[in-house]
Amino acid sequence: MSSTMGKIKIIKGDITTLACDAIVNAANSSLLGGGGVDGAIHYAAGPELLAECRTLHGCRTGEAKITKGYKLPSRFVIHTVGPVYFEHTPVEAEEFLTSCYENSLNLAKENGLKTIAFPLISAGVYGYPQKDAIKVAVETMKSHQNDFDEITLVLFGVREFGIAEDDYPEFVEN
Ligand code: ADP
């Protein structure tokens, strides 16, 4: 591995507590808040985040938009909209999910950001199988590794963390 390559990490925890250049939000297309990680991010960032989100006029599936982080320890939030798994064929769903990671990483790069953390997009209410979602996340992160100092995948549940320990032990940090 070349020394210019950034580090990929998989950790268990709450993404709202991380101090990175940007954390990624698994938002819905309205960008006006929801449950799961979206609710947690808005709660921790405070009402100014929602006010900025209102100016963005939503976001399409697979695309990404950036805001400030407000009360979060992270400077920015990149909002991306994952596919609802059962609204697509598995192939389409994978393309959309890959686009979420790609577009978020490209937006971070355009803004000169070097450390970024992702939740497991679409793998909660949107129903994407966790093992497959982790694979899409890690493969996309690997392909952008050279552009960042650190890319972190933050897993919230024991079950998905266990899958990552089995499938990607080289990236897991306990
Ligand atoms: P989606 O609608 O894209 O499925 P969810 O928020 O329902 O989004 O779930 C996405 C993932 O985020 C799930 O794996 C869920 O366990 C996880 N999650 C929920 N809260 C947090 C949090 N505070 N930090 C990190 N991950 C979280």
Side-chain angles (χ1 to χ4, degrees), residues 13-16 26 35-38 40 119-126 154 156 160:
D14 174 358
I15 200 167
T16 65
V37 72
D38 193 7
L120 194 58
I121 301 164
S122 280
V125 174
Y126 281 6
V154 185
F156 197 58
E160 48 270 44

Side-chain angles (χ1 to χ4, degrees), residues 55-91:
T55 69
L56 300 177
H57 307 294
C59 182
R60 292 194 184 90
T61 303
E63 296 185 356
K65 294 190 176 180
I66 190 166
T67 65
K68 289 187 277 186
Y70 300 98
K71 294 198 173 77
L72 288 165
S74 286
R75 287 165 57 213
F76 295 95
V77 179
I78 292 175
H79 306 262
T80 188
V81 181
V84 177
Y85 190 69
F86 292 107
E87 289 181 356
H88 306 280
T89 65
V91 171

Side-chain angles (χ1 to χ4, degrees), residues 5-55:
M5 268 195 178
K7 194 176 177 196
I8 293 176
K9 284 203 306 188
I10 303 177
I11 63 169
K12 187 174 178 306
D14 174 358
I15 200 167
T16 65
T17 66
L18 298 191
C20 304
D21 291 336
I23 61 169
V24 175
N25 182 15
N28 59 53
S29 57
S30 75
L31 296 185
L32 299 181
V37 72
D38 193 7
I41 288 173
H42 275 275
Y43 183 79
E48 286 172 300
L49 178 60
L50 183 58
E52 185 176 356
C53 283
R54 282 189 205 287
T55 69

Side-chain angles (χ1 to χ4, degrees), residues 76-172:
F76 295 95
V77 179
I78 292 175
H79 306 262
T80 188
V81 181
V84 177
Y85 190 69
F86 292 107
E87 289 181 356
H88 306 280
T89 65
V91 171
E92 271 174 5
E94 185 176 325
E95 285 168 2
F96 275 125
L97 189 59
T98 302
S99 295
C100 287
Y101 288 97
E102 293 278 351
N103 287 324
S104 298
L105 289 162
N106 287 333
L107 193 53
K109 195 179 156 190
E110 283 162 28
N111 283 274
L113 309 183
K114 287 293 180 188
T115 57
I116 182 168
F118 286 88
L120 194 58
I121 301 164
S122 280
V125 174
Y126 281 6
Y128 208 105
Q130 291 173 342
K131 189 180 171 79
D132 300 337
I134 291 168
K135 182 165 193 266
V136 171
V138 173
E139 293 304 326
T140 322
M141 289 171 182
K142 277 166 133 176
S143 70
H144 288 260
Q145 202 170 3
N146 291 335
D147 296 323
F148 293 88
D149 292 340
E150 197 164 82
I151 308 177
T152 306
L153 179 63
V154 185
L155 300 177
F156 197 58
V158 234
R159 191 175 176 275
E160 48 270 44
F161 194 69
I163 296 169
E165 284 180 317
D166 288 343
D167 292 359
Y168 297 102
E170 67 273 37
F171 299 129
V172 169

